[in-house]
Amino acid sequence: MRSQRDDEFGAGMLLNRKPLVLRDKPQVARGNKRALFLIDGYPDVVVKVVLPREGGTNMAGSKRLLRRFLPSTNYRFLFREYKCYLAAKLAQAGQSGALPIIELRGLVQTDLGPGMIEELIKDGEGNPGTSLREMVQRKVFEEHHLELLNDFVRRIFAWRVRANDLNPSNILFGQRAGISQFVLVDGLGDSHLIPVRTWSGHLNERSLCKRFEDTSRVTGLTWDAKDRVFGLPRR
């Protein structure tokens, strides 16, 4: 259950406040471009920021110039993910089941640049949730997890979620209000310059099917594109 303090954190931390110091804070997760930081006193949220680029980056020259003269392009993911989130929230009344993506709580200025405040998916013990990839690698993915994963798939299609990086590392298993479920925590939105998946529900569904098929190859699960369900590996 979310505390009142976390609600105030999500609603009140704006870009014009004193920068939040993250540089020495513990990280929940780290990728090539972004990292998630825990915040003291706020156990139900994390802050996602763009990591500073190292001097020896292999970025193409044109892109390096674009980032130099238009630094806001570093934060396109903020707009993309919020657009996806807001579209889902606006459609929420007509959908069944829990929102299959993380809740976003606003923006905050940090010593690493603008950060996005996000819901932290946790297990029943209060620890950060486990990715689908890790569950499979650790051989803890069982038949009851399959039912919950297929419920997640159903909700992704029902909510018409746009996802540019739907992969087993970004699908976390945890609990919300005591209910076990899978949640997409990163890679939200349509990343194409021409957002055809945003315009076309059919193209978006094809893209989602392709990404779930890719997930099946990574995890060893089977994928039935017709019924849109995963299955346990064939023995």
Side-chain angles (χ1 to χ4, degrees):
M1 182 177 295
R2 224 167 45 237
S3 69
Q4 181 180 358
R5 190 176 186 188
D6 291 323
D7 287 336
E8 292 171 351
F9 181 90
M13 297 294 286
L14 303 176
L15 288 174
N16 61 353
R17 291 211 172 183
K18 183 179 179 180
L20 184 67
V21 177
L22 296 178
R23 199 169 298 274
D24 297 322
K25 298 293 183 182
Q27 296 181 12
V28 177
R30 181 187 178 99
N32 292 327
K33 299 179 180 179
R34 299 192 284 271
L36 297 178
F37 288 85
L38 293 169
I39 307 300
D40 294 338
Y42 300 97
D44 294 335
V45 296
V46 290
V47 176
K48 180 191 292 183
V49 298
V50 175
L51 292 170
R53 291 189 175 275
E54 301 296 333
T57 180
N58 58 1
M59 184 187 298
S62 59
K63 185 174 288 188
R64 188 158 52 242
L65 286 174
L66 183 65
R67 295 290 171 85
R68 178 181 177 184
F69 292 106
L70 293 173
S72 63
T73 58
N74 283 319
Y75 304 101
R76 284 182 298 177
F77 80 94
L78 292 173
F79 300 96
R80 184 175 65 238
E81 295 198 356
Y82 254 102
K83 184 176 181 179
C84 175
Y85 172 73
L86 290 174
K89 295 297 285 187
L90 289 172
Q92 187 168 11
Q95 304 304 333
S96 62
L99 183 70
I101 62 178
I102 52 167
E103 296 277 357
L104 304 182
R105 306 278 174 77
L107 302 176
V108 60
Q109 187 66 286
T110 81
D111 60 336
L112 298 176
M116 185 158 60
I117 304 168
E118 300 182 346
E119 169 190 16
L120 174 61
I121 301 299
K122 297 185 287 187
D123 63 20
E125 304 299 322
N127 303 308
T130 306
S131 72
L132 175 60
R133 184 188 297 271
E134 186 178 356
M135 293 177 73
V136 170
Q137 290 176 341
R138 291 167 48 192
K139 303 186 187 304
V140 297
F141 185 90
E142 300 179 354
E143 190 167 352
H144 70 280
H145 294 123
L146 181 65
E147 297 178 9
L148 294 173
L149 180 61
N150 283 326
D151 179 67
F152 163 78
V153 171
R154 179 191 64 77
R155 289 182 285 122
I156 285 286
F157 281 102
W159 288 75
R160 297 182 174 87
V161 170
R162 270 62 179 176
N164 73 87
D165 194 14
L166 202 170
N167 71 70
S169 294
N170 289 338
I171 302 171
L172 292 196
F173 180 69
Q175 291 189 356
R176 282 168 158 169
I179 300 175
S180 296
Q181 57 192 277
F182 285 93
V183 182
L184 182 63
V185 299
D186 200 8
L188 307 178
D190 189 342
S191 61
H192 289 82
L193 183 61
I194 301 176
V196 292
R197 289 178 297 170
T198 298
W199 299 339
S200 170
H202 174 68
L203 290 178
N204 185 58
E205 289 185 356
R206 285 180 54 184
S207 174
L208 291 174
C209 279
K210 175 64 166 60
R211 293 174 190 278
F212 282 130
E213 183 180 358
D214 292 342
T215 292
S216 72
R217 283 195 285 266
V218 172
T219 59
L221 299 171
T222 63
W223 170 248
D224 184 329
K226 180 180 178 181
D227 293 331
R228 296 176 178 173
V229 293
F230 284 103
L232 292 175
R234 300 184 181 92
R235 299 185 183 280

